[in-house]
């Protein structure tokens, strides 16, 4: 709450000071070139659309712009931000969506964050990342989006408090947070690394979740990809050190992104949606390029298979209580030795969720459960029940500490208050054990 | 965690009878019911926590009864608990005859089950629902929803869903005290 008030005050003061500049137009720094003023021909659109489908997958447009159970591309997906609820908009080519937008207008929305009529987009739309997209990819995406079925679905009203409902304040936000120029390829690095950076930063916008934000909710680029909390859950550290700590290698990371499953476990929570709607549809070459970039390598070489972490010591009483819980509630599916059951439940031995800095993702999965998830090639994992009614905070802390130590090699530092904090985010349904 | 099952005394109450015996660690509740107690009503369907054919009722004083899947829950998790399996619902009369529980009777009258494999789970689910409604009645309009929610996790391969649902809904509506005015 204190952060929120500070942010509120900061933005209000900063916003007022910058208002003059905003209205003078001094802050509009477009990266869109004049060439896109020329419309694309019908033939060009037809030829570019298939490439646009790949760009849309890599940029993960669908996951946000389609409400679960809603019409494709028609928006409506709600996002909780510290400033209130924002809804993704209709981006199908209907009157309510991007119907009638010119090529140049589409470019400006995507790369400058400004829709036709000068309306500023909220930065929940990752235009700060898309700013780095090439003209060719934006054209392809435009071609793909304008050839989707128009969906006549109105846009949901946003629930933002003053002054965040004032879109002009976003010009000030952009002044602070929108890079003036975009990253050029680094000639000192390989083509693989540069492609990986482009796919990761500009298209995949991984940093939007995995990079911490400052008071204005701008990305702290000095801490890029070191992990952040988003909608109450930890998006882990995915720097080379963070990934290695979770047990990933470049090859297993590419496998994880392409299939949602690897020896490190299954993609869960928001990352499942990322895999489901985006990365599983990407070319293997791009996944490998991303993996190379994440591990900061110019080339990928054969790797030795990952070594499981050595168990960390745990107090005997904690271990005894945790083992009783594990045998009673977990071993039925995850195996007495944490080995899991193929196609049913993931192995816990070496599971990345036991190795992240914060235990919150693991605790949340155990307390709230997880829905059944399907992965490419008919692979699936069954639903995980909710154990909120079975395990109190102390029992959950014991279980978390023991599992993290035994199978994740982490020091047992989880406190009951860490569990309580996660429990506070559960719905009444979870708490009742239904 | 040891790979060799070590016996450990397990004491609990099953169908109103106290039970206490050594049981190897790592045995599931379903195996225990079937192999140690001869109670085979809690069925093995998927063995993975999906079908709910294996559920039993856990009744703890001061708490609402709950449904627990025995296939994925260790026997020792039930230490000290009070459990009702499908064998514990009907009442045995002095002459040896049985009086079915209201839920069982409703299923028979409604032709709800066919092969009967899933039925123990449905009996458990419906009974838990009725006990919970007794503690916290719901408005009439909510009955369809709460019945759906209670039966939803249960899979019936013979697809008797509509008849199960109708039987439970009608029983809820006909039983005094489960629905607010
Ligand atoms: S047998 Fe237990 S849920 Fe299917
Ligand atoms: S009655 Fe046959 S499975 Fe349900």
């Amino acid at each position: 709450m204190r952060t929120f008030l500070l942010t509120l005050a900061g933005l209000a003061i900063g916003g007022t000071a910058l208002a003059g500049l905003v209205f003078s137009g001094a802050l509009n720094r477009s990266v869109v070139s004049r060439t896109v003023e020329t419309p694309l021909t019908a033939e060009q659109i037809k030829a570019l659309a298939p490439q646009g489908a790949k760009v849309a997958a890599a940029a993960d447009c669908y996951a946000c712009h389609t409400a679960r159970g809603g019409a494709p591309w028609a928006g409506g997906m709600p996002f909780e931000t510290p400033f209130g609820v924002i809804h993704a908009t209709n981006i199908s080519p209907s009157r309510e969506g991007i119907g009638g937008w010119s090529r140049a207008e589409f470019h400006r929305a995507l790369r400058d964050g400004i829709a036709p009529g000068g309306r500023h987009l909220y930065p929940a739309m990752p235009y700060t990342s898309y700013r780095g997209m090439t003209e060719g990819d934006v054209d392809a995406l435009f071609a793909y989006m304008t050839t989707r079925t128009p969906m006549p679905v109105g846009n949901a009203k946003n629930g933002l408090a003053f002054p965040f409902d004032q879109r002009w304040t976003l010009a000030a936000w952009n002044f602070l947070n929108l890079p003036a120029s975009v990253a050029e390829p680094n000639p000192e690095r390989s083509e693989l690394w540069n492609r990986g950076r482009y796919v990761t930063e500009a298209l995949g916008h991984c940093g939007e979740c995995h990079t911490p934000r400052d008071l204005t909710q701008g990305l702290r680029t000095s801490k890029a990809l070191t992990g952040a909390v988003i909608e109450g859950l930890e998006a882990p550290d995915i720097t080379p050190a963070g990934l290695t700590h979770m047990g990933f290698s470049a090859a297993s990371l590419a496998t994880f992104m392409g299939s949602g499953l690897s020896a490190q476990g299954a993609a869960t929570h928001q990352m499942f949606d990322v895999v489901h709607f985006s990365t599983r549809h990407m070319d293997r070459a791009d996944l490998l390029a991303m993996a190379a970039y994440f591990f900061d390598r110019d080339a990928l070489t054969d790797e030795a298979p990952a070594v499981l972490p050595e168990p960390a010591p745990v107090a005997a009483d904690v271990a005894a209580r945790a083992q009783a819980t594990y045998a009673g509630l977990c071993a039925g599916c995850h195996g007495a030795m944490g080995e899991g059951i193929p196609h049913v439940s993931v192995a816990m031995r070496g599971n990345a969720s036991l190795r992240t800095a914060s235990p919150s993702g693991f605790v949340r999965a155990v307390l709230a459960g997880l829905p059944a998830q399907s992965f490419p090639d008919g692979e699936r994992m069954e639903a995980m029940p909710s154990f909120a009614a079975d395990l109190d905070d102390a029992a959950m802390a014991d279980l978390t500490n023991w599992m993290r130590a035994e199978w994740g090699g982490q020091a047992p530092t989880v406190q009951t208050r860490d569990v309580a904090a996660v429990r506070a985010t559960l719905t009444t349904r979870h708490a009742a054990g239904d | 965690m040891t790979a060799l099952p070590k016996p450990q005394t397990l004491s609990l109450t099953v169908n109103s009878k106290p039970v206490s015996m050594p049981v190897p660690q790592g045995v599931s509740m379903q195996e225990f019911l079937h192999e140690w107690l001869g109670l085979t009503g809690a069925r093995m369907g998927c063995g993975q926590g999906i079908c709910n054919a294996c559920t039993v009722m856990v009744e703890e004083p001061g708490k609402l009864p709950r449904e627990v899947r025995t296939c994925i829950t260790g026997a020792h998790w039930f230490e000290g608990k009070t459990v009702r399996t499908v064998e514990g619902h009907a009442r045995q009369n002095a002459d040896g005859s049985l009086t079915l529980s209201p839920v069982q009777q409703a299923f028979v009258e409604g032709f709800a089950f066919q092969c009967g494999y899933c039925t123990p789970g449905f009996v458990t689910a419906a009974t838990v629902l009725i006990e919970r409604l007794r503690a916290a009645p719901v408005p009439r309009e909510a009955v369809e929803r709460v019945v759906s929610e209670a039966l939803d996790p249960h899979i019936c391969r013979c697809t008797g869903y509509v008849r199960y649902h109708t039987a439970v809904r009608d029983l809820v509506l006909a039983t005094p005290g489960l629905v607010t005015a």
Side-chain angles (χ1 to χ4, degrees), chain A residues 191-201 286 289-291 293:
Chain A
E191 214 174 292
L192 182 76
W193 184 94
N194 274 299
R195 175 67 187 168
R197 180 174 72 173
Y198 175 72
V199 178
T200 303
E201 305 277 342
D286 275 347
M290 285 175 85
Y293 175 67

Side-chain angles (χ1 to χ4, degrees), chain A residues 323 328 336 344 382 385 390 434, chain B residues 1 48 50 66 73-74 132:
Chain A
Q323 283 174 339
V344 175
E382 293 305 340
D390 300 282
D434 290 336
Chain B
M1 199 107 279
Q48 299 172 354
I50 302 160
R66 300 179 53 204
T73 311
R132 287 182 161 226

